[in-house]
Amino acid sequence: IPTVKHGVGSIMLRGSARGPPTSAPPPVSTPQAYSHYTHGDTQNGPPPMNHPMTLDYQSAMNLSGPQSSYPQQYGAVPPMQQMTNQMSGMQISSGPPTSAGLGYGKPMRYGFYAVFSSSGAFGQPRGPQPGYGGPQYPMQQNYGAAPAPAPPPPAQKRLDPDSIPSPIQVIEDDRANKSSEPFTTGVRGQAPPLVTTTFQVKDQGNASPRFIRCTAYNMPCTADMAKQSQVPLAAVIKPLATLPPDECPPYMVDHGEGGPIRCNRCKAYMCPYMQFIEGGRRFQCGFCSCVTEVPPHYFQHLDHTGKRVDCYDRPELSLGSYEFVATVDYCKNNKLPQPPSFVFFIDVSYNAVKSGMVNIVCQELKTLLDYLPRENPEVDSAVRVGFVTYNKVLHFYNVKSSLAQPQMMVVSDVSDMFLPLLDGFLVNVNDSRMVIESLLDQIPEMFADTRETETVFGPVIQAGLEALKAADCAGKLFVFHSSLPIAEAPGKLKNREDKKLVGTDKEKALFQPQSGFYSNLSKECVAQGCCVDLFLFPNQYIDVATLAVVPVSTGGSVYKYTYFQAETDRERFLNDLRRDVQKPMGFDAVMRVRTSTGIRATDFFGSFFMSNTTDVELAGLDCDKTVTVEFRHDDKLSEETGALMQCAVLYTSCSGQRRLRVHNMAVNCCSQLADLYRNCETDTIISFFSKYAYRSILNTPTKTVRDTLVNQCAQILACYRKNCASPSSAGQLILPECMKLLPVYLNCVLKSDVLLPGADVSLDDRAYLRQLVSCMDVSESHVFFYPRLLPLVKLDGGSLPMAVRNSEERLSKGGVYILETGLHLFLWVGANAQQELLSNIFGTPTFSQIDPNMTNLPDLDNPFSKRLREIIDSFRSQRSRYMKLMVVKQEDKTELIFKHFLCEDKSASGGASYVDFLCHMHKEIRQLLS
């Protein structure tokens, strides 16, 4: 069995001394009982061992020999015997790297060493993995020509999945090392704990990783070095992130009528990187080095170290994140804003009524309106509300408090939308409660027998925009919509779904909007501060790519409930709606990222609008949204000063106050590549790559996008191999310690539905996921691409059972597992699960009696059931979308959906398994090095 040795910041895998395998048939692996899985068992990778034995390295794969006929890009397959020999074992050897060629005095131990060899010195060969159809060339299905038939080898020798880097092991190690102590942000260039680790943050001058995560905490000093390494330099910024209860939200700072103190030249806001000089009368900007006078009211003396004596009393001088009260100069048209308004648009066409959606929305709004966002829980919300129903015409409702009954006004000329009433449309909930409740009771009855199947969509957004303009406020439209808008009206769409285009060069057109109408409408919405949240209930193609343009451009959200059924989907929809209405958010926001000399922000990803190259405009910005920023060099950086960034967001709070939220971040700079590779964060790199790739498919064929990702990843690892690792045989695959999971995670992105869809994945699903991932934070994109799989073993105590790797061969027939993707929850039940376990969870001892259609577990009075339901609740509370539970019985038809998320295995759409992809990655790296 291969072993893992934990060195100082390094992992080295080594093979144990064993004779070569015989050609005996592979052993059949028996399902293990649950209690056997302890920390470090082969369930998740090699167990720690005190005295590993090293193997002499034997003949490596030789690319100059018989393989020279190999095509450059994924081409034909080499002879079978040769291929199996090459994959026969990742023999993991050769001790710690020497200091040769590193420019360091003492030996460095941060490499991850793995050796491919043709000796197969791993003892008994493994049997084929389920779903692994024999030893074909890795990734063959999706990358090139079909394999030539070949005689089967005497015994198949595969790379042992337990000997390659395990995500679970890395996650567990990080938890063990970093969850006990608080993470203090005062040290420049210090990488935070992983997103999978629970930890407390203490702000000591840099923004918390909950607000900003970087791909590299040690930036290359020069553009050439950045280009050579190909490591993306980016930050994933979540400006309004909610913090856990034990962390203090950003303090509010008021600099008086003159507004926040700023640098005269680059306009950066006062922060810990400003250097006070001349006894405190002036300050030098850390971003552009310009010297600015300190206003008299802000003057303070300096201590013997040159710091202001009030440094620790002022958040803006000692903390990474804080807020300023903005003055009237920071407001639109130089006047203070009104509190925002919410307008609810309910589709009352035949499909919407029949599915039960209209009834559910109206019933829920009666109670939900008591939970509109507010800053002070003691005070009523300042948000006003309005209501519209629509099919192919719009019905506006006057709900003025003085009325006995609501009044309906119909606008049937949808080609020229206008607001038929001003007074009584947007109202305060408490004043008009009786009229609103009466309206919400009447809507389902009024449209119960409708025969109208057609809907409009463009005029709906126009109506909301007009309402906010008339009230002179920002706000949010909640649109509940059921079908493709084919009725005659502005923004009318046609059905353009064409399965034949999938995988072709013309596929990219399907991700672009059908016309420019909605892009132009978005521009108007952003100018008014009108954010749109869209709840879709489609039974067929609805063109998410086009309908999502307005929500995406305005900083809104899209929710999708395909084939909505009231009894099974009600809970998910209502939880999403409640959270969406209540969550903290800002309106009419503008974000700008400033950087110190040497780098600048060049590219932005997320849900927003940009009318110039620097300002990210968001009609709405909520606590779940991220904006990802890529940086490039425009000059040299210095190791002494490091690199600084400041993200400033100007927004209107839900009570109508104009504010500035500021996040500051300082990272180190390095002139040695080894330092860059020692301080990267793989989860953030993958989050960036996925957003970059998902945007690229708008203009580039998906195959090209996938190839580009593979190539960039190979270049990152080849550069490390060439410049940072000690010289060793070409047969070795060497991965940097902090990037050893780059291949497994990148493979998950390559195989995702957006980039490599299975036959059952609709175009709407892909367009929906594409926009969803674009504004995910790092913890959400992590679990989305590499889901969390937990065996339900002993659930006593507060801790969770240790996760297992995402592969079918990790599942035991005698067990029950929970799988979380951030959007779905699955409970997989093995066919031989113990009766006691089934009774505790489902209340029935027999496998056949479990109802696969249940979406909630029964409320049973036993500790196991209680703890399992607590775990499910805690998983749901950590995510921005409600995850519906799906019970999957082994060998049931729903198991295909579940297996789709076992991302270390081969996928039905032709994506490679982790093992195969690692072999492929190794080949790509070797080609680059040769």
Side-chain angles (χ1 to χ4, degrees):
I1 289 183
T3 65
V4 174
K5 177 163 183 244
H6 300 268
V8 185
S10 80
I11 269 206
M12 294 177 301
L13 287 166
R14 303 174 172 188
S16 59
R18 241 199 217 178
T22 59
S23 56
V28 180
S29 58
T30 50
Q32 279 176 289
Y34 259 65
S35 51
H36 295 178
Y37 294 143
T38 54
H39 180 83
D41 201 312
T42 49
Q43 183 79 340
N44 283 315
M49 208 157 136
N50 296 334
H51 303 290
M53 298 178 66
T54 51
L55 264 172
D56 289 334
Y57 177 66
Q58 298 174 38
S59 55
M61 289 201 284
N62 184 355
L63 276 183
S64 59
Q67 278 165 300
S68 53
S69 59
Y70 228 71
Q72 281 298 96
Q73 251 341 62
Y74 328 102
V77 179
M80 192 59 80
Q81 184 63 57
Q82 183 185 331
M83 195 62 230
T84 32
N85 281 347
Q86 286 167 10
M87 290 173 58
S88 62
M90 208 183 213
Q91 191 184 317
I92 312 223
S93 96
S94 40
T98 63
S99 54
L102 286 170
Y104 283 89
K106 53 182 189 291
M108 310 240 354
R109 296 173 54 108
Y110 60 90
F112 168 93
Y113 276 64
V115 183
F116 284 86
S117 92
S118 51
S119 67
F122 257 150
Q124 289 297 317
R126 291 169 80 95
Q129 181 174 351
Y132 174 81
Q136 290 179 340
Y137 180 60
M139 301 180 81
Q140 155 266 326
Q141 278 167 286
N142 120 37
Y143 281 114
Q156 185 194 325
K157 292 174 285 197
R158 268 190 74 227
L159 186 53
D160 181 355
D162 282 334
S163 68
I164 57 182
S166 156
I168 307 303
Q169 201 63 56
V170 171
I171 288 167
E172 288 299 325
D173 290 347
D174 194 75
R175 278 186 187 144
N177 298 332
K178 296 184 181 170
S179 60
S180 50
E181 292 294 305
F183 175 72
T184 53
T185 69
V187 183
R188 186 178 82 190
Q190 179 186 352
L194 298 180
V195 285
T196 42
T197 298
T198 306
F199 59 99
Q200 189 192 16
V201 180
K202 291 212 164 128
D203 185 343
Q204 293 184 351
N206 277 314
S208 158
R210 304 194 203 289
F211 295 124
I212 301 182
R213 274 186 179 265
C214 300
T215 55
Y217 287 86
N218 223 334
M219 280 202 176
C221 281
T222 64
D224 286 348
M225 195 172 154
K227 191 175 174 187
Q228 189 184 357
S229 74
Q230 286 291 310
V231 174
L233 304 177
V236 179
I237 305 174
K238 194 177 184 183
L240 299 185
T242 34
L243 300 179
D246 60 351
E247 291 176 25
C248 184
Y251 287 102
M252 181 71 69
V253 178
D254 191 347
H255 279 175
E257 289 168 23
I261 312 291
R262 305 173 70 172
C263 165
N264 267 348
R265 187 199 290 161
C266 72
K267 301 293 184 233
Y269 294 90
M270 181 52 65
C271 68
Y273 316 138
M274 303 300 191
Q275 182 73 44
F276 287 87
I277 53 175
E278 294 176 27
R281 287 188 298 281
R282 302 167 87 190
F283 68 89
Q284 184 170 26
C285 176
F287 296 89
C288 71
S289 305
C290 175
V291 174
T292 302
E293 294 285 333
V294 174
H297 72 87
Y298 195 68
F299 173 79
Q300 185 55 268
H301 294 287
L302 308 184
D303 66 11
H304 66 286
T305 66
K307 269 195 175 154
R308 283 172 56 124
V309 295
D310 64 352
C311 173
Y312 293 104
D313 303 331
R314 289 189 174 273
E316 75 274 24
L317 299 181
S318 55
L319 298 177
S321 301
Y322 42 86
E323 292 202 308
F324 287 118
V325 177
T327 54
V328 75
D329 305 339
Y330 291 85
C331 302
K332 204 178 272 178
N333 306 329
N334 282 9
K335 68 177 209 265
L336 292 171
Q338 302 278 341
S341 299
F342 284 1
V343 190
F344 298 90
F345 289 87
I346 305 168
D347 172 351
V348 288
S349 64
Y350 177 75
N351 279 343
V353 173
K354 193 181 72 162
S355 70
M357 179 272 279
V358 174
N359 195 21
I360 291 172
V361 170
C362 292
Q363 288 311 311
E364 178 62 24
L365 285 179
K366 287 196 283 190
T367 48
L368 192 52
L369 293 176
D370 286 331
Y371 298 97
L372 294 172
R374 66 202 75 201
E375 304 198 61
N376 180 350
E378 311 298 310
V379 183
D380 286 340
S381 173
V383 175
R384 292 183 298 162
V385 297
F387 303 90
V388 178
T389 55
Y390 68 95
N391 36 50
K392 64 182 192 187
V393 297
L394 275 73
H395 324 105
F396 293 80
Y397 296 95
N398 183 344
V399 283
K400 198 173 173 180
S401 57
S402 55
L403 295 174
Q405 279 290 324
Q407 295 173 343
M408 178 204 254
M409 298 180 185
V410 180
V411 175
S412 51
D413 181 7
V414 288
S415 61
D416 185 15
M417 188 41 64
F418 66 98
L419 195 66
L421 75 163
L422 286 177
D423 192 27
F425 180 63
L426 292 176
V427 296
N428 177 292
V429 173
N430 280 348
D431 295 349
S432 297
R433 183 174 298 278
M434 300 301 289
V435 197
I436 290 173
E437 294 209 344
S438 167
L439 169 67
L440 293 170
D441 284 334
Q442 289 177 47
I443 288 174
E445 293 167 16
M446 276 192 292
F447 298 100
D449 301 321
T450 184
R451 285 274 160 276
E452 185 52 72
T453 56
E454 293 190 353
T455 58
V456 297
F457 187 73
V460 172
I461 311 291
Q462 288 172 328
L465 179 58
E466 291 305 317
L468 296 181
K469 277 184 184 168
D472 193 23
C473 67
K476 191 178 202 179
L477 314 183
F478 295 82
V479 183
F480 305 93
H481 188 79
S482 70
S483 60
L484 192 70
I486 55 170
E488 209 46 62
K492 170 186 172 178
L493 301 178
K494 60 179 193 291
N495 188 338
R496 56 169 180 166
E497 187 175 32
D498 188 350
K499 278 272 201 264
K500 291 196 290 293
L501 296 182
V502 175
T504 70
D505 284 2
K506 291 184 179 167
E507 178 184 39
K508 55 182 184 281
L510 300 176
F511 291 111
Q512 295 164 358
Q514 281 191 34
S515 71
F517 173 82
Y518 289 105
S519 306
N520 295 331
L521 185 53
S522 315
K523 206 177 292 187
E524 291 181 57
C525 288
V526 172
Q528 183 56 41
C530 167
C531 174
V532 179
D533 278 1
L534 181 56
F535 294 80
L536 294 172
F537 303 86
N539 290 335
Q540 56 204 50
Y541 179 70
I542 197 171
D543 200 350
V544 174
T546 304
L547 295 189
V549 167
V550 177
V552 165
S553 306
T554 59
S557 306
V558 181
Y559 297 84
K560 184 162 158 287
Y561 310 91
T562 312
Y563 307 122
F564 179 80
Q565 290 180 309
E567 58 282 2
T568 53
D569 297 309
R570 175 194 179 103
E571 189 179 18
R572 179 176 147 229
F573 164 53
L574 288 182
N575 276 284
D576 283 344
L577 176 60
R578 284 167 195 155
R579 184 183 158 96
D580 197 61
V581 168
Q582 296 174 42
K583 65 183 167 189
M585 69 176 294
F587 297 88
D588 215 356
V590 183
M591 170 175 142
R592 182 175 274 197
V593 178
R594 293 179 174 83
T595 51
S596 55
T597 311
I599 52 164
R600 62 194 169 89
T602 55
D603 211 348
F604 301 85
F605 303 81
S607 291
F608 50 75
F609 178 78
M610 290 185 85
S611 53
N612 58 37
T613 56
T614 53
D615 294 335
V616 175
E617 299 172 51
L618 303 122
L621 173 63
D622 64 50
C623 58
D624 299 321
K625 293 284 184 305
T626 67
V627 176
T628 300
V629 186
E630 186 179 13
F631 302 99
R632 293 194 189 266
H633 288 76
D634 53 11
D635 205 344
K636 278 189 175 159
L637 295 166
S638 94
E639 293 189 62
E640 288 71 60
T641 54
L644 311 176
M645 65 187 91
Q646 182 180 78
C647 163
V649 183
L650 177 65
Y651 70 97
T652 302
S653 74
C654 60
S655 61
Q657 189 183 34
R658 202 69 176 147
R659 294 180 184 165
L660 269 156
R661 179 167 288 204
V662 179
H663 297 296
N664 302 289
M665 191 74 186
V667 298
N668 283 336
C669 294
C670 58
S671 53
Q672 296 285 341
L673 282 164
D675 291 331
L676 163 67
Y677 282 101
R678 206 180 295 121
N679 224 358
C680 289
E681 215 211 15
T682 299
D683 292 331
T684 312
I685 291 174
I686 289 294
S687 187
F688 172 79
F689 276 157
S690 65
K691 288 164 186 170
Y692 181 81
Y694 281 19
R695 188 181 67 183
S696 301
I697 64 167
L698 290 174
N699 307 304
T700 314
T702 46
K703 182 178 185 319
T704 312
V705 173
R706 290 199 308 270
D707 292 349
T708 305
L709 279 181
V710 171
N711 187 266
Q712 186 166 357
C713 182
Q715 288 192 353
I716 291 172
L717 299 175
C719 174
Y720 172 78
R721 170 68 191 262
K722 184 177 172 185
N723 299 287
C724 308
S726 56
S728 56
S729 155
Q732 292 181 315
L733 171 66
I734 303 183
L735 304 170
E737 168 62 20
C738 70
M739 282 191 191
K740 63 187 179 206
L741 298 180
L742 194 61
V744 60
Y745 289 162
L746 186 79
N747 191 32
C748 297
V749 176
L750 296 171
K751 295 198 296 188
S752 61
D753 289 338
V754 175
L755 295 182
L756 193 66
D760 55 333
V761 181
S762 72
L763 186 63
D764 274 343
D765 287 332
R766 295 171 72 197
Y768 169 70
L769 292 173
R770 197 187 78 76
Q771 56 80 33
L772 197 59
V773 168
S774 72
C775 36
M776 276 184 181
D777 70 9
V778 181
S779 64
E780 286 181 318
S781 62
H782 177 272
V783 78
F784 177 80
F785 289 113
Y786 194 92
R788 167 156 69 156
L789 180 63
L790 299 181
L792 296 179
V793 276
K794 303 186 194 77
L795 292 187
D796 39 12
S799 61
L800 290 172
M802 182 163 141
V804 297
R805 289 169 64 169
N806 278 344
S807 170
E808 194 176 348
E809 56 183 41
R810 309 282 169 179
L811 300 174
S812 152
K813 271 192 168 182
V816 178
Y817 296 76
I818 192 161
L819 179 96
E820 182 216 3
T821 74
L823 298 178
H824 310 93
L825 269 177
F826 296 94
L827 196 67
W828 183 88
V829 187
N832 302 344
Q834 298 156 358
Q835 292 190 351
E836 187 191 359
L837 193 58
L838 298 183
S839 295
N840 280 342
I841 299 173
F842 301 105
T844 171
T846 54
F847 180 77
S848 59
Q849 285 178 348
I850 297 168
D851 176 12
N853 297 319
M854 65 166 73
T855 54
N856 271 317
L857 295 179
D859 194 341
L860 303 175
D861 191 16
N862 68 68
F864 195 96
S865 169
K866 281 182 183 149
R867 179 67 185 127
L868 177 54
R869 283 177 286 116
E870 276 172 18
I871 288 172
I872 290 172
D873 289 345
S874 83
F875 281 9
R876 284 174 173 158
S877 69
Q878 290 163 28
R879 306 293 169 207
S880 60
R881 308 270 166 143
Y882 184 84
M883 297 181 288
K884 179 171 143 185
L885 182 71
M886 186 170 173
V887 174
V888 177
K889 294 163 76 171
Q890 188 176 4
E891 281 157 27
D892 211 354
K893 58 183 186 300
T894 52
E895 203 182 25
L896 280 175
I897 304 171
F898 170 79
K899 283 182 181 173
H900 180 71
F901 296 101
L902 299 177
C903 56
E904 288 197 21
D905 298 341
K906 226 175 213 170
S907 72
S909 55
S913 69
Y914 174 20
V915 167
D916 291 352
F917 183 68
L918 200 60
C919 294
H920 176 71
M921 205 70 222
H922 185 220
K923 175 175 155 269
E924 291 287 305
I925 293 166
R926 291 179 61 170
Q927 268 178 358
L928 287 171
L929 292 175
S930 62

